[in-house]
Amino acid sequence: GAGVSQSPSNKVTEKGKDVELRCDPISGHTALYWYRQSLGQGLEFLIYFQGNSAPDKSGLPSDRFSAERTGGSVSTLTIQRTQQEDSAVYLCASSRPAGGRHAYNEQFFGPGTRLTVL
Amino acid sequence: ELKVEQNPLFLSMQEGKNYTIYCNYSTTSDRLYWYRQDPGKSLESLFVLLSNGAVKQEGRLMASLDTKARLSTLHITAAVHDLSATYFCAVVLNTGTASKLTFGTGTRLQVTL
């Protein structure tokens, strides 16, 4: 009955290194979202998964960012060649599919991963 | 492009006072959420507003939605210190079965004695 979990909770890396951030959604939630929260940009959408496919990647800021989801569950957000402007808190959310009793498929957020690029 | 504006950005209020946070959005939307965020913590859902004229209340917080004006308000009654946090409104932009959220800038609320 756990909520959305994310790991690591904190990540400090050097500029130019690659990082992987992990999200475990609530069991049974088919939709998964990644958001980023930074001082300069506020909270912004990155990418959305329905099952294992990503119909909306419109928020990914550059081609250094990618994400995948396997087994309709865990998702990994990868940032290659990190830059200082990538420093932010990366939030994951999950929701049930729309329709039926869950017509307004509320999103439940994880605790986030704080990424610091030195 | 959907834009969501909140004001004020920062609000310092005394305990016991009332105040309102405003959230304006630029295009038609299905629903609007209010979230609370404590420092270093994630987002906690407070309210979901689904239709014009919707009003929800929980304790000292009351949220309302006017879809014609594209405006939501979060009213705080007789503030207490425990309400100190950052409050975000978020508007849903539906794309197929996706419901990605577009967030306002947030209002940092500080309740003082």
Side-chain angles (χ1 to χ4, degrees), chain A residues 23-46:
Chain A
C23 172
D24 268 289
I26 293 171
S27 177
H29 282 195
T30 59
L32 186 147
Y33 303 79
W34 283 98
Y35 295 89
R36 178 169 75 171
Q37 185 173 25
S38 58
L39 280 176
Q41 302 297 324
L43 269 157
E44 35 175 11
F45 166 82
L46 297 178

Side-chain angles (χ1 to χ4, degrees), chain B residues 74-98:
Chain B
L74 181 65
H75 187 73
I76 303 148
T77 302
V80 292
H81 182 69
D82 284 353
L83 290 179
S84 296
T86 299
Y87 293 84
F88 292 93
C89 65
V91 178
V92 170
L93 188 64
N94 273 336
T95 55
T97 57

Side-chain angles (χ1 to χ4, degrees), chain A residues 4 19 28 41 61 72 80 83 98 117-118:
Chain A
V4 177
V19 294
Q41 302 297 324
Q80 295 179 310
Q83 303 294 312
V117 182
L118 302 176

Side-chain angles (χ1 to χ4, degrees), chain B residues 33-45:
Chain B
Y33 293 85
W34 283 97
Y35 287 90
R36 169 182 171 144
Q37 187 177 39
D38 291 290
K41 304 291 185 182
S42 191
L43 297 167
E44 174 192 352
S45 178

Side-chain angles (χ1 to χ4, degrees), chain A residues 93-106:
Chain A
S94 70
S95 72
R96 292 185 175 98
R101 294 182 296 121
H102 313 297
Y104 60 87
N105 52 349
E106 181 179 0

Side-chain angles (χ1 to χ4, degrees), chain A residues 1-30:
Chain A
V4 177
S5 61
Q6 292 185 246
S7 61
S9 54
N10 276 286
K11 177 72 177 179
V12 180
T13 190
E14 293 178 346
K15 179 180 168 181
K17 301 279 190 186
D18 298 352
V19 294
E20 284 189 352
L21 312 180
R22 176 187 166 109
C23 172
D24 268 289
I26 293 171
S27 177
H29 282 195
T30 59

Side-chain angles (χ1 to χ4, degrees), chain A residues 20-97:
Chain A
E20 284 189 352
L21 312 180
R22 176 187 166 109
C23 172
D24 268 289
I26 293 171
S27 177
H29 282 195
T30 59
L32 186 147
Y33 303 79
W34 283 98
Y35 295 89
R36 178 169 75 171
Q37 185 173 25
S38 58
L39 280 176
Q41 302 297 324
L43 269 157
E44 35 175 11
F45 166 82
L46 297 178
I47 187 170
Y48 153 69
F49 285 92
Q50 180 59 42
N52 290 337
S53 64
D56 191 345
K57 307 178 184 180
S58 61
L60 294 178
S62 76
D63 59 8
R64 295 186 295 105
F65 287 72
S66 63
E68 65 174 14
R69 189 178 184 194
T70 54
S73 181
V74 171
S75 176
T76 303
L77 177 69
T78 301
I79 309 173
Q80 295 179 310
R81 305 180 302 283
T82 52
Q83 303 294 312
Q84 288 182 332
E85 62 262 28
D86 299 335
S87 297
V89 176
Y90 290 81
L91 292 165
C92 175
S94 70
S95 72
R96 292 185 175 98

